[in-house]
Amino acid sequence: MPKFETVRRVAHSSDEMFALVADVDRYPEFLPLCEALTVRSRRERDGVTLLVADMTVGYKAIRETFVTQVFLRPADRVIDVKYIEGPFRYLQNRWSFAPAPSQPGSDGCEVTFFIDYEFKSRIFGAMMGAMFDRAFRMFAEAFETRADAIYGKSD
């Protein structure tokens, strides 16, 4: 039911941004609400990497852990996240990275972030929904800030 999509132009290449988002082990260092992330398994086949990961999110006294499959497709510059278990009825998440349309003197890429989810519990959804909405809206910005810290901020 809640759905959010944003497209942001960033000063970093699509390969750099893909690598940054694909590095899920680092999420607790900079991602809003992410308190822990554990990769249970990692398999590669035909150029696609499949991760199964547990992510713990928290806000004040509330903590929830959910399990996802993360499909890393570097050739397509796409990351798909499929929900396995946790507090959601469903969760779909996709990142895509495309070279920015050419403009004189500009580099970078366009990052598209999409998420669609619904909590199993209406009460939990009512309590956490607004906070999750704010956090998801901050995700793209958090990754851009992280990219500036790692790859350098362009002028």
Side-chain angles (χ1 to χ4, degrees), residues 24-112:
V24 299
D25 296 294
R26 298 309 255 271
Y27 285 10
E29 295 175 19
F30 68 95
L31 199 59
L33 305 181
C34 181
E35 294 189 349
L37 194 139
T38 303
V39 175
R40 289 185 186 185
S41 65
R42 182 182 305 258
R43 290 180 287 164
E44 190 167 336
R45 184 176 183 177
D46 299 326
V48 175
T49 301
L50 167 62
L51 309 174
V52 175
D54 297 349
M55 184 176 189
T56 301
V57 295
Y59 181 72
K60 297 188 179 182
I62 299 172
R63 303 278 172 285
E64 286 289 337
T65 298
F66 59 97
V67 183
T68 58
Q69 291 180 317
V70 181
F71 295 87
L72 307 174
R73 296 182 171 89
D76 300 325
R77 294 185 188 98
V78 170
I79 299 172
D80 283 309
V81 179
K82 299 204 188 278
Y83 179 68
I84 297 175
E85 68 180 77
F88 299 98
R89 186 175 316 272
Y90 69 87
L91 180 143
Q92 299 170 347
N93 178 219
R94 174 176 266 225
W95 290 87
S96 61
F97 311 88
S102 295
Q103 292 181 355
S106 71
D107 291 324
C109 74
E110 288 186 347
V111 178
T112 302

Side-chain angles (χ1 to χ4, degrees), residues 131-150:
M131 185 269 311
F132 265 72
D133 285 346
R134 278 194 309 274
F136 291 141
R137 291 175 192 282
M138 294 185 307
F139 274 18
E141 185 178 328
F143 281 98
E144 186 175 351
T145 300
R146 177 76 169 175
D148 289 345
I150 290 174

Side-chain angles (χ1 to χ4, degrees), residues 2 117 119 123-134 136:
Y117 68 96
F119 289 103
I123 293 170
F124 189 72
M127 278 185 352
M128 298 295 286
M131 185 269 311
F132 265 72
D133 285 346
R134 278 194 309 274
F136 291 141

